[in-house]
Amino acid sequence: MKVMVLAGGPDREREVSLRSGAQVAAALREAGHAVRERDLMPDDQTALGGFAAWGGEVVFPVFHGKWGEGGGAQRLLETAGVKYVGCREAAARLCTDKAATKRRLLDAKLPTPAFELVNSESQPTLPTPVVIKPNDDGSSIDLAICPDPEAVKKAWAELSPRNPVLLVERFITGKEMTVGIVEDESGEPVALPTIQIVPATAFYDYDAKYVRDDTRYLFDAVPEAVETSLRGLAVRVFRELGCRQLSRVDLFLDDADQPWVIEVNTMPGFTSHSLLPMAAARSGLPLPRLVDRLVTRAARDWIG
């Protein structure tokens, strides 16, 4: 097929998006597709005109961030009547809003840590330890782990001026886990093998995710019954939030083996350090086959 890979965008995760897009484009070419790589901005949609003139068949939008992954790009693609990989606008918008995601999970009686939203006018009140992070950004940008009230005050004072809304969340002690979801050929969501993330740094920050090579990624890190439970929970989350084709569910597993859903990424990374491609390869689905499946699903799974 003729596939246009869109990457970059206006968000703070632009550089990660460009790296993911390059990996996706290379894998699509290896799978036999004709590929063009373009950018897309809220005020520059030249790529969509080029896609139509080229006779393109599917768009693979590899954006990370609150516009590209959070409904803005998806709205443009749907308005243009373009077939594309990933969640539709409503699910993309929901999952990018961490607090809205957590409310939906709580309504469905799915486990997620206690939380509150604050801004530059309202200080956090949740008992420590807590995590403070932007409500609609990813890649651990502006994330702070606060073990005591003094750390909370410092993080809030630093982060609130540049983040209109901050999510304050109860910090869960335990294993950091992630479960990728990819739909099979029939459209059923399938949970990939779980990965335990063991950073060499204090926590899984931007450098640990994309720069350093000493982060450890462990398969078979939990008993089989726990693995089955985590995969089942991830699929329930995928369905509840209305995700489509692929997503990644990030969790913590506490010391009592109770899982807590932290957030959902509707367009997981595709860099050399990224987790969903790593788990897919572990399950026998190397990157060229993975992206081929995704564009094939997108070509067939179009409601209009």
Side-chain angles (χ1 to χ4, degrees):
M1 289 186 287
K2 291 184 174 182
V3 183
M4 181 170 283
V5 175
L6 297 178
D11 298 311
R12 291 197 287 183
E13 297 173 75
R14 175 179 174 83
E15 291 306 313
V16 179
S17 170
L18 289 170
R19 288 158 61 187
S20 287
Q23 293 280 108
V24 167
L28 284 166
R29 291 187 179 104
E30 186 175 338
H33 299 282
V35 180
R36 289 187 177 179
E37 299 173 64
R38 298 289 186 271
D39 203 340
L40 184 70
M41 293 282 186
D43 57 353
D44 185 356
Q45 301 160 35
T46 307
L48 297 183
F51 178 77
W54 181 42
E57 296 166 81
V58 175
V59 166
F60 200 133
V62 198
F63 294 117
H64 309 312
K66 59 186 175 183
W67 181 81
E69 194 176 351
Q74 292 74 20
R75 182 174 64 255
L76 290 180
L77 294 170
E78 290 174 20
T79 300
V82 170
K83 299 178 181 181
Y84 67 92
V85 171
C87 293
R88 296 194 180 280
E89 179 189 355
R93 192 175 300 282
L94 170 63
C95 293
T96 297
D97 185 331
K98 294 179 175 65
T101 297
K102 289 165 71 68
R103 292 188 194 104
R104 179 70 66 86
L105 296 176
L106 290 171
D107 288 344
K109 301 191 183 330
L110 295 173
T112 189
F115 71 99
E116 64 181 345
L117 291 177
V118 300
N119 55 31
S120 59
E121 307 274 320
S122 59
Q123 294 191 37
T125 62
L126 206 64
T128 54
V130 297
V131 178
I132 302 180
K133 56 189 173 182
N135 187 52
D136 56 4
D137 243 327
S139 292
S140 297
I141 294 172
D142 278 352
L143 183 148
I145 297 176
C146 305
D148 53 56
E150 192 59 37
V152 170
K153 288 181 184 178
K154 181 179 178 182
W156 174 76
E158 179 185 345
L159 300 179
S160 60
R162 60 176 178 263
N163 293 282
V165 181
L166 289 167
L167 180 81
V168 184
E169 183 178 60
R170 181 168 68 92
F171 178 70
I172 303 296
T173 302
K175 298 182 177 73
E176 186 168 1
M177 312 293 292
T178 191
V179 185
I181 307 285
V182 177
E183 290 180 356
D184 64 16
E185 290 84 352
S186 66
E188 285 297 307
V190 175
L192 301 172
T194 64
I195 299 175
Q196 181 185 355
I197 303 160
V198 185
T201 50
F203 67 96
Y204 193 41
D205 61 9
Y206 185 95
D207 281 352
K209 288 180 177 180
Y210 303 116
V211 180
R212 301 172 64 107
D213 290 319
D214 52 3
T215 302
R216 295 159 58 212
Y217 303 102
L218 308 180
F219 291 98
D220 304 320
V222 294
E224 185 176 349
V226 176
E227 170 90 7
T228 300
S229 173
L230 289 173
R231 290 203 202 186
L233 174 59
V235 170
R236 289 175 63 197
V237 169
F238 183 95
R239 293 185 187 278
E240 180 63 34
L241 299 178
C243 298
R244 183 182 80 136
Q245 296 175 3
L246 78 164
S247 287
R248 196 189 74 235
V249 181
D250 295 338
L251 315 95
F252 268 86
L253 189 67
D254 69 20
D255 296 333
D257 283 344
Q258 165 67 47
W260 299 91
V261 179
I262 303 301
E263 60 186 61
V264 177
N265 294 271
T266 57
M267 182 52 68
F270 282 87
T271 72
S272 59
H273 288 64
S274 293
L275 300 166
L276 184 139
M278 193 184 303
R282 175 81 174 193
S283 70
L285 197 63
L287 190 55
R289 284 182 54 201
L290 171 61
V291 296
D292 178 69
R293 176 185 292 185
L294 290 169
V295 295
T296 300
R297 287 287 309 144
R300 294 174 181 169
D301 185 22
W302 184 249
I303 299 170

